[in-house]
């Protein structure tokens, strides 16, 4: 037994939206809560069980509590997928929010129906049209007709026979029924054989679940793995929801003022005003950072160390405390973790020489156990060999140096001198668009050889030089 | 001989059945354990948070130039450049602020479903139906032939659905229709680690922003979202509450949670410490799948692009929909917020990309 199903599944089964659309359609036709259907007049013919475009939009607005724009959009999608068709102008699957008449498609023709629309069916449909219109088909239908005529030439007699038979049967129906059946068919084929230029709503994208190697075998190994996973998962510590969710509230409070989409940004959002001052003032390395930026360094250690400017200030502070080698060590470890596979041994050795060897110029103070483990580990150097030592130093900076940094004069001065940019005054002629200047690409800033060098050091944001 | 084999067969069947029931009962117990600590809902806790005011976002730039469906995009760290890829194999680098195209390359395959900008801004990665992930250095040399400098890095046995550089240009993480994720050394093309566990195509991934940077989350056609340890290759946590394929996963900015978008027309929020789903973002009128999700900088808003051509904006804390954005004329296939949170970019099957702010 396998999960995954047989190859070549009917692609429409991959569209869960069709099921939901059908449920919508069914509730739209509910005798009590659905749309009130009436007779609609089409020139001189009366079509029963029909509704207007307005009816559809109104019903959607009421049922789902949405705006008219959204209701019209949703209604249009329902029509595009062929579940509702227009009686007037049936060649265009569009919903108009007016008195235009519409009808529900018969379930026989529903898009999710499992029988595929075959070439034969399409040929019969085109043949009928061809006969009725005496050869005057619209261009793409003419092309398709000729194509099919060539391709299934051997059954063409059958096609024409079927077409004639269906036309004959249709003549015996009332005019109203004939119009309805024609519209139903037309809508079905518009969905299944869209004219060139029209969007194909049935288009899916590359097939999923067609790889036999991922088909999971529900055998003993599978269940043994499931059991193993569950046992591990049971043993893990979980935190109460109330505590976790409190975390979001706090995070939200802290960060919303820094969220340009939520709170705007000063002097202005470059995308809205075409003024790039905001980017210039917040470039990775500026002389004077903005107040918001310096405040953010106080949120947590990660904010400080991940901002190139913040990191530089941290370095200055650590120098004063004679523990700058900690930051340098951490950076070197990052270089190891994210560096090329081929340079691992080289980087590990460099780290050892600079930071760990007895008498090293920038010896880092790690606890003896970690040091012992690390020294043992570097005998067979690998990417993660410094993880323990790096974590130890990171925590040292975070728990020890960082709180002192925040209380230091250095940081206090940074806060005091930080800029609060004034809001861009509204332009007198707002309709005159400001010229949009280009900026040098990060790929340009260094000659090709150095670009590789740059790519090597982790977490270095490119430094665009902005024109003002 | 025949009877012995028959009894052995019988024993094996019994073991399979008993393993299956043991697995199922353990799963049930796990759900009970998870539920025990669930003492409050997110929207209840969020009651005291101020409601959002009028929300206005408009298209500020429209990028036209792709001749076919746009499938994926990614931002450069410089906050204005982007890379985008499409069905016809074209990959374009734009300065989206000026809307100028800066580089273009045509891949030898169609349906380039994954693309990523390198952290340095000096290279891009992409792949799709060629089952590979290739890296192209970006050059401005006179006789520029980007295709000539192409480096083939990752090799999968089915389509590439997602790729992302780690903290440097030297490593790439990939997700594939072959059901696996993998970590690669760019320079040598060496496979550093592979991640097995999904029962079907993996469609998306996102790297954790956590300060220790060791994990990532992936989503797949098996309806599971899985969190992985990059170093060991082990699955740390797994969540299975969606009803259909998970098309997109994205970490909440604090790293304590992630959101997912699925073909079941919902987006969900999973908390990693509580080890459970903590919110569902859905509406009866939204019946098409969510293809792509991303958070605003503060994590208060979740932007989600859908297969019904719209973008819905959700209040992450209160669970309500804040706004619906119209404009695209076909499926929204990709959506990313810019690195400094000033805007987000959406790409669509209507051949265009839009910047919203």
């Amino acid at each position: 037994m396998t999960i995954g199903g047989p190859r070549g599944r009917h692609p429409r089964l991959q569209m869960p939206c069709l099921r939901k659309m059908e449920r919508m359609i069914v509730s739209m036709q509910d005798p009590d809560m659905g749309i009130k259907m009436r007779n609609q007049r089409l020139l001189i013919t009366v079509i029963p069980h029909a509704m207007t475009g307005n009816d559809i939009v109104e019903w959607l607005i009421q049922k789902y509590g949405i705006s008219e724009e959204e209701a019209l959009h949703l209604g249009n999608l329902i029509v595009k997928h062929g579940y509702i068709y227009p009686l007037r102008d049936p060649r265009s699957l569009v919903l108009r929010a007016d008195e235009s008449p519409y009808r529900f498609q018969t379930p026989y023709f529903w898009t999710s129906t499992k029988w595929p629309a075959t070439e034969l069916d399409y040929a019969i449909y085109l043949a009928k049209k061809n006969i009725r219109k005496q050869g005057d088909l619209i261009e793409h239908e003419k092309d398709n007709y000729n194509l099919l005529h060539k391709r299934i030439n051997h059954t063409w007699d059958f096609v024409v026979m079927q077409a004639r038979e269906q036309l004959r049967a249709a003549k015996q129906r009332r005019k109203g029924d004939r119009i309805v059946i024609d519209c139903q068919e037309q809508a079905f084929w518009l969905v299944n054989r869209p004219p060139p230029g029209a969007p194909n709503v049935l288009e899916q994208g590359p097939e999923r679940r067609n790889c036999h190697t991922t088909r999971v075998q529900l055998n003993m190994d599978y269940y043994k793995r499931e059991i193993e996973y569950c046992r591990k998962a049971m043993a893990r510590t979980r935190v109460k929801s109330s505590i976790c969710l409190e975390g979001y509230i706090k995070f939200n409070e802290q960060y919303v003022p820094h969220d340009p989409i939520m709170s705007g940004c000063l002097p202005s959002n470059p995308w809205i005003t075409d003024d790039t001052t905001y980017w210039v003032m917040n470039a990775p390395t500026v002389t004077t950072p903005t107040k918001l930026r310096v405040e953010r360094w106080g949120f947590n250690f990660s904010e400080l160390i991940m901002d190139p400017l913040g990191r530089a200030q941290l370095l200055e502070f650590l120098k004063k405390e004679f523990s700058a080698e900690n930051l340098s060590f951490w950076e070197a470890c990052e270089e190891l973790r994210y560096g090329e596979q081929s340079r691992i041994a080289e980087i590990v050795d460099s780290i050892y020489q600079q930071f760990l060897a007895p008498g090293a110029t920038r010896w880092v103070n790690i606890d003896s156990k970690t040091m012992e483990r690390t020294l043992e580990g570097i005998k067979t150097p690998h990417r993660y060999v410094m993880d323990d030592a790096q974590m130890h130093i990171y925590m040292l900076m975070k728990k020890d140096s960082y709180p002192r940094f925040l209380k230091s004069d250095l940081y206090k001065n940074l806060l005091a001198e930080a800029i609060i940019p004034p809001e861009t005054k509204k332009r007198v002629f707002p309709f005159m668009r400001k010229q949009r200047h280009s900026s040098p690409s990060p790929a340009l800033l260094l000659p090709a050889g150095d670009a590789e060098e740059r790519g090597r050091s982790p977490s270095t944001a490119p430094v665009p030089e902005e024109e003002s | 001989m025949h009877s012995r084999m028959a009894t052995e067969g019988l024993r094996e069947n019994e073991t399979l059945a008993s393993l299956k029931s043991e697995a199922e009962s353990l799963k049930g117990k796990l759900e009970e354990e998870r539920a025990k600590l669930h003492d409050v809902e997110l929207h209840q806790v969020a009651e005291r948070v101020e409601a959002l005011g009028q929300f206005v976002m408009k298209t500020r730039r429209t990028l036209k130039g792709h001749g076919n469906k746009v499938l994926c995009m990614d931002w450069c760290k410089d906050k204005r450049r982007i890379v985008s890829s499409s069905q016809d194999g074209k990959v374009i680098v734009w300065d989206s602020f000026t809307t100028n195209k800066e580089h273009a390359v045509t891949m030898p395959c169609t349906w380039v479903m994954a693309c990523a900008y390198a952290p340095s801004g000096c290279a891009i990665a992409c792949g799709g139906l060629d089952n590979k992930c290739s890296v192209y250095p970006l050059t401005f040399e006179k006789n520029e032939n980007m295709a000539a400098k192409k480096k083939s890095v990752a090799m999968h046995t089915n389509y590439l659905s997602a790729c992302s550089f780690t903290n440097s240009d030297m490593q790439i993480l990939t997700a594939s229709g072959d059901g696996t994720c993998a970590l690669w050394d760019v320079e040598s093309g060496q496979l550093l680690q592979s991640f097995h566990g999904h029962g079907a195509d993996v469609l998306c991934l996102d790297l954790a922003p956590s300060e220790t940077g060791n994990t990532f989350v992936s989503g797949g056609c098996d309806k599971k979202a899985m969190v992985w340890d990059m170093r060991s290759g082990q699955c740390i946590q797994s969540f299975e509450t969606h009803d259909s394929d998970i098309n997109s996963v994205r970490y909440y900015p604090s790293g304590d949670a992630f959101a997912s978008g699925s073909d079941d027309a919902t987006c969900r929020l999973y908390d990693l410490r509580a080890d459970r789903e903590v919110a569902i973002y859905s509406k009866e009128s939204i019946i098409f799948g969510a293809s792509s999700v991303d958070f605003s900088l503060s994590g208060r808003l979740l932007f989600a692009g859908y297969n019904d051509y719209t973008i819905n904006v959700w209040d992450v804390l209160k669970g309500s929909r804040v706004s619906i954005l119209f404009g695209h004329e076909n499926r929204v296939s990709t959506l990313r917020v810019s690195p400094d949170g000033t805007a987000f970019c959406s790409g669509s099957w209507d051949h265009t990309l839009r910047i919203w702010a």
Side-chain angles (χ1 to χ4, degrees):
Chain A
M1 207 211 329
T2 59
I3 302 173
R7 223 172 270 213
R9 282 172 71 168
H10 197 282
R12 282 175 211 173
L13 297 176
Q14 276 180 202
M15 293 178 77
C17 56
L18 292 183
R19 296 262 167 278
K20 297 192 179 120
M21 204 176 266
E22 280 155 21
R23 261 182 262 141
M24 253 185 199
I25 290 293
V26 166
S27 60
M28 275 174 147
Q29 294 174 80
D30 182 86
D32 299 315
M33 303 301 289
I35 300 180
K36 294 284 169 282
M37 297 200 268
R38 301 160 257 165
N39 294 344
Q40 290 291 334
R41 194 168 281 275
L42 208 62
L43 291 176
I44 50 165
T45 324
V46 171
I47 315 282
H49 303 302
M51 59 221 161
T52 67
N54 245 342
D55 292 336
I56 298 169
V57 173
E58 277 308 314
W59 187 89
L60 288 170
I61 292 175
Q62 290 309 314
K63 167 86 176 173
Y64 297 113
I66 54 182
S67 68
E68 183 172 344
E69 189 179 16
E70 194 175 348
L72 189 58
H73 182 89
L74 178 56
N76 246 305
L77 283 169
I78 295 174
V79 172
K80 275 197 175 61
H81 282 77
Y83 284 93
I84 289 176
Y85 58 87
L87 289 166
R88 206 181 296 150
D89 192 15
R91 218 176 272 156
S92 148
L93 291 180
V94 166
L95 178 66
R96 277 178 250 275
D98 55 20
E99 296 304 300
S100 310
Y102 290 85
R103 237 173 157 266
F104 290 104
Q105 178 64 288
T106 174
Y108 181 71
F109 278 138
W110 277 4
T111 307
S112 66
T113 305
K114 289 183 182 76
W115 61 265
T118 65
E119 286 196 321
L120 196 61
D121 298 311
Y122 191 42
I124 294 169
Y125 167 70
L126 287 177
K128 276 198 296 185
K129 251 194 171 174
N130 196 37
I131 293 169
R132 258 200 358 247
K133 297 209 164 167
Q134 295 164 331
D136 187 25
L137 291 173
I138 53 175
E139 193 178 329
H140 83 98
E141 282 180 341
K142 199 174 259 175
D143 291 338
N144 286 339
Y145 182 83
N146 292 333
L147 223 82
L148 283 167
H149 188 98
K150 269 198 206 114
R151 207 158 40 218
I152 55 172
N153 195 279
H154 50 284
T155 56
W156 205 253
D157 289 339
F158 174 72
V159 168
V160 174
M161 191 175 75
Q162 279 294 302
R164 288 217 174 95
E165 181 58 40
Q166 289 183 17
L167 284 173
R168 197 188 57 77
K171 278 207 183 81
Q172 299 184 342
R173 294 195 194 99
R174 280 178 34 238
K175 182 157 189 211
D177 291 341
R178 241 186 298 149
I179 291 176
V180 160
I181 290 173
D182 281 347
C183 287
Q184 285 175 348
E185 254 199 324
Q186 170 109 266
F188 178 81
W189 288 111
L190 279 172
V191 172
N192 282 277
R193 296 283 188 279
N200 181 0
V201 294
L202 297 182
E203 192 167 13
Q204 283 301 298
E207 211 186 310
R208 295 178 181 176
R209 290 181 215 85
N210 67 346
C211 184
H212 64 276
T213 55
T214 54
R215 213 150 289 155
V216 178
Q217 296 280 335
L218 294 180
N219 55 14
M220 288 184 24
D221 277 336
Y222 172 80
Y223 288 118
K224 278 188 188 149
R225 274 198 309 262
E226 290 277 295
I227 291 168
E228 171 77 29
Y229 172 77
C230 283
R231 290 224 176 97
K232 274 208 189 115
M234 295 270 274
R236 72 177 294 127
T237 36
R238 275 174 204 85
V239 181
K240 256 201 301 194
S241 287
S242 46
I243 298 177
C244 299
L245 303 180
E246 232 0 86
Y248 299 139
I249 310 295
K250 283 209 176 67
F251 189 86
N252 178 70
E253 224 171 271
Q254 239 186 355
Y255 279 88
V256 159
H258 296 254
D259 185 338
I261 292 176
M262 292 283 298
S263 313
C265 50
L266 298 172
S268 68
N269 187 320
W271 300 103
I272 299 177
T273 60
D274 290 348
D275 176 23
T276 58
T277 311
Y278 178 74
W279 285 333
V280 175
M281 297 184 91
N282 286 288
T285 46
V286 283
T287 336
T288 322
T290 63
K291 194 148 210 144
L292 278 177
R293 187 173 180 180
V294 179
E295 275 173 8
R296 220 166 135 173
W297 296 342
F299 287 177
N300 54 65
F301 184 56
S302 180
E303 288 285 351
L304 177 66
I305 201 171
M306 288 310 178
D307 181 339
L309 199 60
R311 195 187 291 193
Q313 295 300 327
L314 174 65
L315 185 65
E316 285 311 304
F317 176 74
L318 291 178
K319 276 186 186 153
K320 292 205 176 103
E321 299 212 324
F322 303 105
S323 59
E325 67 277 357
N326 287 344
L327 184 56
S328 306
F329 174 71
W330 181 83
E331 283 181 324
C333 292
E334 286 284 276
E335 206 187 321
L336 170 65
R337 271 221 287 170
Y338 298 108
E340 297 108 309
Q341 190 70 5
S342 59
R343 288 186 65 223
I344 286 181
E346 172 201 329
I347 300 176
V348 168
D349 187 58
S350 158
I351 293 176
Y352 173 73
Q353 298 298 337
Q354 281 187 75
F355 301 101
L356 301 173
T361 48
R362 311 170 83 188
W363 193 80
V364 284
N365 195 355
I366 315 176
D367 69 284
S368 51
K369 252 209 185 116
T370 312
M371 179 66 94
E372 217 181 284
R373 257 204 314 271
T374 308
L375 291 178
E376 186 60 40
I378 63 180
K379 290 182 185 159
T380 43
H382 61 90
R383 185 177 296 274
Y384 304 109
V385 76
M386 295 291 172
D387 272 11
D388 287 345
Q390 183 182 10
M391 180 62 81
H392 180 94
I393 293 296
Y394 184 83
M395 283 306 172
L396 199 64
M397 289 192 288
K398 175 176 173 173
K399 297 268 158 74
D400 200 34
S401 318
Y402 177 60
R404 280 199 302 277
F405 170 81
L406 293 180
K407 295 199 190 91
S408 68
D409 287 334
L410 176 67
Y411 184 63
K412 292 205 175 97
N413 283 337
L414 285 166
L415 272 174
E417 283 160 25
I419 319 173
I420 302 178
E423 188 174 358
T424 302
K425 287 206 177 74
K426 292 216 159 71
R427 266 174 282 133
V428 179
F429 301 105
F431 51 82
M432 265 169 60
R433 211 185 67 181
K434 190 167 169 159
Q435 234 220 330
R436 293 171 186 167
H437 293 280
S438 60
S439 72
S441 165
L444 257 180
L445 293 170
L446 295 170
D450 288 323
E452 275 173 40
E453 178 77 42
R454 162 144 293 182
R456 220 174 264 146
S457 47
S459 349
T460 313
V463 184
E465 288 149 27
E466 296 282 351
E467 302 168 21
S468 51
Chain B
M1 175 85 127
H2 176 81
S3 63
R4 190 180 353 133
M5 277 167 72
T7 9
E8 273 175 8
L10 204 66
R11 235 180 288 139
E12 203 179 277
N13 273 340
E14 282 177 330
T15 326
L16 180 66
S18 64
L19 276 180
K20 179 174 177 186
S21 67
E22 188 184 345
E24 261 149 38
S25 95
L26 270 180
K27 263 199 182 149
K29 284 210 184 94
L30 179 59
E31 282 318 303
E32 273 174 38
E33 280 302 308
R34 279 173 158 172
K36 268 186 198 158
L37 294 170
H38 190 55
D39 49 350
V40 70
E41 296 290 335
L42 179 54
H43 64 85
Q44 289 172 293
V45 173
E47 258 158 36
R48 61 180 214 266
V49 178
E50 219 178 282
L52 294 171
Q54 251 291 39
F55 187 84
V56 176
M57 273 188 104
K58 296 192 195 149
T59 301
R60 304 289 174 176
R61 302 286 191 277
T62 306
L63 304 176
K64 298 188 183 162
H66 276 292
N68 215 314
K69 306 178 178 64
V70 176
L71 304 176
C72 188
M73 64 79 46
D74 190 20
W75 288 91
C76 174
K77 281 218 169 96
D78 78 347
K79 308 155 192 176
R80 50 191 282 173
R81 280 172 174 78
I82 63 168
V83 60
S84 60
S85 63
S86 78
Q87 180 193 356
D88 60 5
K90 271 236 164 56
V91 179
I92 302 178
V93 173
W94 317 68
D95 175 355
S96 58
F97 186 70
T98 57
T99 72
N100 293 337
K101 300 184 202 36
E102 293 192 340
H103 307 267
V105 70
T106 307
M107 293 276 285
C109 68
T110 58
W111 289 93
V112 185
M113 295 175 269
C115 64
Y117 223 118
S120 69
C122 298
I124 54 152
C126 51
L129 285 187
D130 58 354
N131 300 359
K132 298 193 202 144
C133 184
S134 309
V135 174
Y136 292 86
L138 297 176
T139 86
F140 283 93
E141 277 158 35
K142 279 268 153 63
N143 299 316
E144 180 185 317
N145 184 6
M146 266 179 75
K149 300 235 174 90
K150 163 178 168 179
K151 208 186 283 183
S152 243
V153 176
M155 300 264 284
H156 280 278
T157 55
N158 207 337
Y159 63 85
L160 190 82
S161 55
C163 64
S164 173
F165 286 89
T166 62
N167 275 11
S168 80
D169 287 16
M170 300 292 110
Q171 293 179 320
I172 288 198
L173 191 59
T174 57
S176 166
D178 67 12
T180 70
C181 297
L183 181 66
W184 310 83
D185 176 67
V186 171
E187 186 197 39
S188 63
Q190 188 186 343
L191 173 68
L192 299 175
Q193 184 61 265
S194 68
F195 306 89
H196 296 259
H198 275 289
D201 314 23
V202 187
L203 300 177
C204 51
L205 61 81
D206 192 33
L207 283 150
S210 83
E211 49 198 342
T212 45
N214 263 331
T215 62
F216 73 95
V217 63
S218 64
C221 289
D222 56 355
K223 311 175 197 170
K224 283 198 195 150
M226 301 177 83
V227 181
W228 306 87
D229 178 298
M230 275 175 72
R231 183 173 162 174
S232 66
Q234 294 299 309
C235 168
I236 313 174
Q237 275 171 288
S238 173
F239 303 90
E240 196 173 348
T241 62
H242 272 293
D243 299 321
S244 190
D245 302 359
I246 297 178
N247 298 310
S248 177
V249 285
R250 195 72 68 210
Y251 272 93
Y252 182 76
S254 72
D256 291 329
F258 68 90
S260 60
S262 161
D263 272 350
D264 69 6
T266 70
C267 299
R268 295 174 198 237
L269 187 68
Y270 297 92
D271 187 294
L272 296 171
R273 292 175 304 166
D275 192 31
R276 59 177 294 119
E277 173 193 293
V278 291
I280 305 183
Y281 307 100
S282 68
K283 216 165 154 26
E284 259 194 301
S285 56
I286 301 175
I287 57 175
F288 285 79
S291 63
S292 193
V293 300
D294 203 356
F295 287 98
S296 72
L297 189 143
S298 63
R300 179 65 190 271
L301 300 171
L302 181 69
F303 301 104
Y306 289 77
N307 292 339
D308 66 1
Y309 323 169
T310 68
I311 295 161
N312 285 287
V313 185
W314 300 91
D315 181 330
V316 170
L317 302 180
K318 291 192 183 282
S320 53
R321 187 191 58 187
V322 171
S323 182
I324 178 169
L325 303 174
F326 299 98
H328 278 299
E329 291 164 12
N330 207 323
R331 287 197 196 189
V332 177
S333 52
T334 181
L335 189 154
R336 300 291 300 256
V337 171
S338 75
D340 63 354
T342 49
F344 72 84
C345 177
S346 61
S348 162
W349 281 18
D350 69 4
H351 308 186
T352 70
L353 294 125
R354 285 171 180 245
I355 310 284
W356 306 76

